[in-house]
Structures are given as structure tokens and as C-alpha cells.
Amino acid sequence: MVQSVGTMALARVCKCCRPVVKESFKGLLCRVLQPGWIEGGKTAKRHLLSEDIIRLQDFQERKLAVGYFVNGLNGNFIDLLSEKLQRNEQIYSRDLKILLHSCQSADDMKVATEAIYRYAENTTFHQFKFGPLFIRLCYELGQEDLAAATITDQSMKEFFNDATSFNITTDMLFTKGSYEHALKIIKTMKKRGVEFTKDTFILACGTCYKLNTPESYRICTALIDEAESKDLPIPRHAYSFAVALALRQNDVEKAQSLYFQIINTDSRIGQNLRVLILAMSGEVAEAVSILSAAHLYKWPSFVKKPEFCQEVLDLLCLRSEDGPHMMKVKKIVRHLEEANQVTQQTLDDLLCFTPPGKREQPLVERRISRTVKAVI
């Protein structure tokens, strides 16, 4: 007898301030801030959500437990569900829970997709939220297009009514570089009135930053302005993306305004953005002051010294070329290099990082039967 199952088992552009600078400030600025050059040749897939949110490992562990359980059934469970769908029978929660923990291939996903549509058609009260479960399954099997198509289907509005499903789908598309589709997910979420979480703001601003178009800039600033008007908490990471996007769009004034909304700007991202803003606004002397303070401060041995991106320093050097502060810029950059406070990580590298999540608690050995029992 089948029982119900729950949710289981800038590369270095040039040597700074070299005698002959052939590249214009505008040209270098484009290289620093344009995503195509920043990401050229990189293959790493960077997520904006932590494992605490995606919970892929937890999902896979539960799949293993369910797999152990369904092996004792007569016949292949997915085939049994497929036959049930062909007979146009209703799909119940217990069936769907087991099915979504049993799929291993694209063919299996066809059955799962048909099953969730059948379930959504015949169920008006969803006691269990299946949205995140289906999206995590898509995540595991690399079915981001299926996830995007399903979650944006108006007929599945009630099935996907939680922020987690939208956030994971957006993160999936972000890692694949499908930024247009990721933005469509954000727009759908907004249109349906699904409440934005802190993770949503990070994903939305990050996606707009990657797109780097006038339209994505308008959407990003509109989301920030609306959230501020409602006193909603906006993460520092989201603000940082918005600042970088404003700089890409050459809106230094807006970038400064957004930057000053960040409560703590002592991070590497914050300090690099600040120097970049000052360089672009022509305030070279103040930029030198910030760099000098970071170099001269007596940092404790257990505290990592501030690091500045080579690309940001290159732009500052070029901006100060033939100006009154050129020698000061050369000197402080040389000192930073000698102190190992210059990094080849790009600003994009710093912005597109995967949060570490919460520290994992020591794992306690559990029996499979106990795991299954907890979710049936």
C-alpha cells in the first residue's frame, strides 16, 4: 500500500600607470563595467542563493530514502503514475510526493509535469506546498527551461504561490546566463503579488546588473525606490548590485545616492565601489585618501587587510593621468602592491558570490527507515 511521502530524501588590464597609456578613460571604464569583458573566458557557475535556500543536498538525501522505500512496491512507481494519468484519474498528495522524489531523467519529468498540472486542476486547497519541491527537482536535473515555463504559466498560479519557488528558479537561470528569462520570473512574481524576500531583491538587482540595459536599470531602481518607500529591508548585496549597475549606466549621481544607503561599507565590495565612484566623479584626491588609510592602518594579524581590484586601480590611474594627483596615485598603488593588497579578482567576481549560508550542525547518523517515516 503506497503511503504519503513529504519533502525529503579585470584580468589585469595593464601595469598601473605605465608611462604610455594608449587606452582612453572611457574605453577602460567600459572594460571595467561591461559584463561581456568581465566574464570573458570564465566557466564557473556562480549562485546568488546559499544552500540554506536551495537545499539541494537535503532534497537528494530524501530522494535516496524514498528510493529505498519505493523499491519494495510492486512495479515501477513512475509507470504506475503514468498509467493513472492515462486513465484520467485524480492525483493525490501522497502520489505526488513520492513521484517528485522518484524522478531521475527528462522522461520522468514529463510524467511529473503532467502530474502537477493534473493535481493543480483538481485541487483547490493545497495543504502542502509542492512548488519548491518541483523546482528543486528541476534544479537537480538541469531542467531550468521547464521550471521557467511552468512557473510562469498562469494556470499554475496557485501551485507556485511562494517566494522560494521563484527565487530558486531565478537563481537557476542566473547561473546559466539566461538573464532575460530570469528577469521574466521576477516580473511574474511581482505581477502575481508574491512577496519579495531579501533573496528576491538580491536576485532581481543581480539580474538587472548582468543585463545592463536602460530597461533593466529602470526596473532595478524602481524596485529599490519602492522598497525604500515601504521601509522594506534591502540587503547590502542588492544595493551593491544597484550601485554597480548605475555606474555601468554612467549615472554616477544615482550610484552615490544608492551607495550611501548601505549601512556597512567596510566590505571589499563596498570599498572598491567607493573608489570606483570617486574615480568616475573626478574626486581622485579623496580616492587616494581612502587607499592610504587602508594601507597605513595597523591591522591586527588575524584581520585580513583590505584588498582593491586591479581593474579599479587601473581606472583610477588612468583618471589621474596628467593631473595634479598622478604621482600620489602611483605611490599609493605601488605601496598597496607591495603589501599584497591588490587582487586580480574583478569587481564582478566580488559581486557574484555564493553566500556561505549557516554553519552546518554536526550530522547525526539516521536510519533510512526513520527518515522515510518522518516524511510519510
Side-chain angles (χ1 to χ4, degrees):
M1 186 70 181
V2 177
Q3 301 179 51
S4 61
V5 179
T7 45
M8 296 201 35
L10 292 151
R12 187 163 185 156
V13 179
C14 54
K15 181 67 177 176
C16 182
C17 299
R18 55 188 173 184
V20 180
V21 179
K22 296 181 179 180
E23 193 165 20
S24 67
F25 167 67
K26 183 177 180 181
L28 180 56
L29 176 61
C30 288
R31 289 196 174 190
V32 174
L33 296 175
Q34 295 302 319
W37 181 72
I38 288 174
E39 297 163 12
K42 298 198 175 184
T43 57
K45 302 299 183 183
R46 292 176 291 183
H47 305 269
L48 298 184
L49 294 182
S50 68
E51 175 59 22
D52 294 338
I53 304 299
I54 298 175
R55 293 176 58 190
L56 185 59
Q57 182 178 347
D58 177 67
F59 173 71
Q60 292 172 331
E61 289 175 354
R62 292 172 182 271
K63 281 188 71 174
L64 287 174
V66 171
Y68 177 87
F69 170 70
V70 297
N71 280 339
L73 301 177
N74 293 324
N76 183 291
F77 185 80
I78 294 178
D79 289 342
L80 294 175
L81 254 293
S82 181
E83 293 173 3
K84 196 170 184 178
L85 289 167
Q86 292 174 12
R87 294 194 298 268
N88 202 31
E89 296 180 19
Q90 185 172 349
I91 301 300
Y92 295 98
S93 295
R94 67 175 183 272
D95 301 323
L96 194 55
K97 288 177 184 179
I98 298 176
L99 175 62
L100 296 181
H101 283 99
S102 303
C103 294
Q104 302 293 341
S105 67
D107 288 337
D108 293 345
M109 288 299 294
K110 293 178 182 178
V111 178
T113 303
E114 186 178 352
I116 66 169
Y117 273 90
R118 179 71 56 79
Y119 179 80
E121 288 174 1
N122 300 314
T123 306
T124 56
F125 177 70
H126 296 198
Q127 186 176 9
F128 181 87
K129 289 187 178 297
F130 282 101
L133 196 57
F134 178 78
I135 297 301
R136 288 187 177 104
L137 178 60
C138 291
Y139 201 107
E140 182 194 34
L141 299 180
Q143 298 284 322
E144 66 277 356
D145 291 337
L146 175 60
T150 309
I151 202 170
T152 54
D153 190 332
Q154 182 63 21
S155 67
M156 298 296 284
K157 177 180 179 180
E158 296 302 322
F159 189 86
F160 297 106
N161 59 2
D162 61 285
T164 300
S165 295
F166 283 92
N167 289 344
I168 297 178
T169 304
T170 304
D171 186 73
M172 238 193 303
L173 295 166
F174 184 92
T175 63
K176 299 291 186 177
S178 301
Y179 306 122
E180 290 283 359
H181 289 108
L183 187 59
K184 183 179 179 180
I185 302 300
I186 297 295
K187 289 180 177 178
T188 301
M189 186 178 181
K190 178 72 174 174
K191 181 179 179 181
R192 292 183 184 174
V194 179
E195 186 175 354
F196 277 29
T197 65
K198 291 182 179 181
D199 291 317
T200 309
F201 282 114
I202 294 172
L203 289 161
C205 293
T207 298
C208 290
Y209 156 84
K210 285 291 192 178
L211 284 170
N212 188 28
T213 63
E215 174 65 10
S216 71
Y217 180 45
R218 182 193 65 77
I219 292 172
C220 181
T221 53
L223 288 174
I224 292 288
D225 290 344
E226 181 182 358
E228 288 179 342
S229 68
K230 296 179 179 179
D231 292 325
L232 298 177
I234 303 174
R236 178 175 62 183
H237 198 176
Y239 268 127
S240 297
F241 273 128
V243 171
L245 177 56
L247 292 175
R248 283 182 167 180
Q249 292 295 309
N250 204 32
D251 191 347
V252 181
E253 184 178 351
K254 183 63 174 180
Q256 288 177 323
S257 174
L258 291 166
Y259 180 84
F260 289 128
Q261 297 302 315
I262 302 175
I263 296 176
N264 182 3
T265 57
D266 292 336
S267 66
R268 282 200 302 170
I269 296 176
Q271 292 181 323
N272 276 276
L273 284 174
R274 182 58 177 154
V275 172
L276 190 56
I277 289 172
L278 293 172
M280 290 182 62
S281 60
E283 300 177 48
V284 177
E286 188 172 346
V288 171
S289 297
I290 291 176
L291 296 174
S292 298
H295 172 66
L296 296 174
Y297 184 80
K298 302 299 181 181
W299 299 95
S301 58
F302 56 86
V303 176
K304 188 173 183 179
K305 296 179 181 179
E307 291 182 335
F308 297 91
C309 298
Q310 182 69 61
E311 61 175 11
V312 173
L313 297 178
D314 284 339
L315 193 143
L316 178 63
C317 288
L318 192 56
R319 194 71 174 94
S320 66
E321 190 73 16
D322 298 326
H325 304 292
M326 183 177 68
M327 296 308 298
K328 290 182 179 179
V329 171
K330 285 185 177 181
K331 183 178 180 180
I332 186 57
V333 170
R334 184 175 70 252
H335 287 164
L336 289 170
E337 289 176 336
E338 293 171 352
N340 295 319
Q341 289 181 260
V342 179
T343 177
Q344 296 305 313
Q345 279 190 303
T346 65
L347 186 59
D348 190 79
D349 289 332
L350 299 184
L351 285 166
C352 299
F353 68 91
T354 303
K358 299 176 182 178
R359 181 178 299 178
E360 293 186 4
Q361 298 295 324
L363 294 177
V364 179
E365 187 176 348
R366 295 170 297 178
R367 294 182 179 179
I368 292 179
S369 60
R370 183 179 177 183
T371 304
V372 174
K373 184 179 180 180
V375 295
I376 290 178

